[in-house]
Amino acid sequence: MHDLISIPRKSKFQSFFKTTDDMELQGVYRWHQSLSSSFFAVMNDFEVVLRNTIHFTLSNYYDSRVNDSYDWMGISVIHAKKAPLHIKHRLTGKNLKTKDPATNIQDH
């Protein structure tokens, strides 16, 4: 393993952890791998929760009768070219102005 790690990467570990030999360096590197991999599960859970929250919020926005899932992405893509320049906020009733007119990918 020692020969497969680049010299710049090894030097970062050696200088930060003040390792004195290759065995210490390998131990620190393995510890770092273990620590990093434990964050992967947390990041994965966070991403799933965030994505689901966004999906359920937009599903409810486009059809409040649906309590699980609504194809809001399909609807927004289909109607993107016909999007109004003035959109009425669902809760306040105030008109919102978009900065730029909605464009279709085919228009570019």
Side-chain angles (χ1 to χ4, degrees):
M1 189 238 15
H2 181 70
D3 296 335
L4 301 175
I5 302 170
S6 68
I7 292 172
R9 185 158 178 85
K10 281 193 280 191
S11 66
K12 296 273 188 199
F13 279 91
Q14 287 170 330
S15 65
F16 185 83
F17 291 102
K18 310 286 190 247
T19 58
T20 57
D21 59 31
D22 289 345
M23 287 296 282
E24 277 187 356
L25 177 62
Q26 186 171 351
V28 166
Y29 194 79
R30 294 275 185 217
W31 171 81
H32 182 263
Q33 284 179 321
S34 178
L35 180 65
S36 298
S37 68
S38 68
F39 283 107
F40 181 75
V42 174
M43 293 288 288
N44 183 52
D45 290 343
F46 175 77
E47 185 270 334
V48 169
V49 169
L50 178 64
R51 183 170 28 94
N52 286 345
T53 302
I54 291 169
H55 174 72
F56 292 134
T57 300
L58 288 170
S59 290
N60 186 274
Y61 175 79
Y62 281 101
D63 191 348
S64 59
R65 298 168 297 169
V66 176
N67 56 357
D68 185 32
S69 187
Y70 183 76
D71 185 19
W72 56 268
M73 281 183 83
I75 296 300
S76 59
V77 169
I78 291 169
H79 299 295
K81 192 167 186 175
K82 299 182 218 173
L85 296 179
H86 301 287
I87 301 170
K88 195 169 269 200
H89 191 278
R90 190 172 87 144
L91 298 176
T92 65
K94 293 181 180 177
N95 283 333
L96 305 172
K97 291 185 180 180
T98 56
K99 291 183 179 180
D100 297 312
T103 58
N104 190 318
I105 294 173
Q106 296 171 350
D107 293 340
H108 291 283

